[in-house]
Amino acid sequence: MNYEIDNLDRQILRLLMQDVTRAYTDIAKELNVSGGTIHVRMKKLTEMGVVTGSQLLINPSAIGFDICAFIGVYLEKGSAYKEAQELMRQIPEIVELHYTTGSYSMFVKLICRDTKHLREVLNEKMQAIPGVSRTETLISLEESISRQISIV
């Protein structure tokens, strides 16, 4: 596709990143363009893969999930990644999974109700996956920054 992101696209993205529920007509008024222009631009940004969707964000602790943990996963061998990744996708507590370089083969972010729930997920689900040789757990005490990449 021969479409490059311009200043108007960046402005649209910045406004929607602040409030994804904001109406395109409101954005159009603020940017002095037509509502149709916003629709066309968003369609192109989606087709290009710049915008991959929108989501509702839930505060986990507000619904009883008080533990955020990061798990370093050691695989017996690199070829175990694909199957391990597919099996980890079935564990609902896992909210992020990264295939990494460095000490760990995989790095996982998961959210649990409490330490007992965390222990169950680790012992009964993650460590039971074929190819996982061991894990290291880091519990987050506080999330200080959570944001999208800045659009300049």
Side-chain angles (χ1 to χ4, degrees):
M1 185 171 283
N2 261 348
Y3 181 79
E4 290 193 27
I5 295 173
D6 63 15
N7 191 44
L8 179 59
D9 294 325
R10 287 182 181 85
Q11 290 176 311
I12 294 166
L13 291 171
R14 274 195 294 273
L15 291 172
L16 284 171
M17 287 171 66
Q18 291 169 4
D19 180 6
V20 73
T21 64
R22 191 164 177 191
Y24 285 180
T25 53
D26 291 341
I27 293 170
K29 285 177 189 172
E30 183 171 334
L31 300 178
N32 295 317
V33 297
S34 73
T37 297
I38 304 299
H39 281 278
V40 168
R41 295 293 185 111
M42 286 305 297
K43 184 176 185 210
K44 286 182 182 177
L45 291 167
T46 301
E47 289 170 355
M48 291 172 57
V50 173
V51 174
T52 58
S54 61
Q55 59 184 195
L56 176 70
L57 300 176
I58 294 174
N59 176 354
S61 62
I63 58 170
F65 286 76
D66 291 326
I67 299 289
C68 173
F70 297 90
I71 315 297
V73 179
Y74 294 89
L75 295 176
E76 292 170 0
K77 54 188 174 184
S79 61
Y81 172 74
K82 187 173 181 177
E83 182 181 359
Q85 176 263 143
E86 289 170 3
L87 292 170
M88 286 193 190
R89 185 177 302 280
Q90 298 171 24
I91 301 172
E93 293 85 357
I94 294 177
V95 295
E96 289 184 30
L97 174 86
H98 301 267
Y99 190 33
T100 61
T101 62
S103 298
Y104 309 119
S105 303
M106 304 164 79
F107 202 67
V108 173
K109 178 180 177 182
L110 56 85
I111 308 291
C112 293
R113 288 184 302 277
D114 50 35
T115 54
K116 180 181 181 217
H117 184 202
L118 173 61
R119 187 182 67 243
E120 290 169 359
V121 172
L122 284 171
N123 293 344
E124 297 170 20
K125 296 179 180 180
M126 291 182 67
Q127 293 172 346
I129 292 174
V132 172
S133 61
R134 66 186 179 102
T135 60
E136 285 185 17
T137 303
L138 301 136
I139 294 176
S140 173
L141 300 176
E142 176 181 306
E143 181 180 279
S144 303
I145 298 172
S146 176
R147 61 182 170 211
Q148 289 282 320
I149 188 168
S150 178
I151 304 292
V152 284

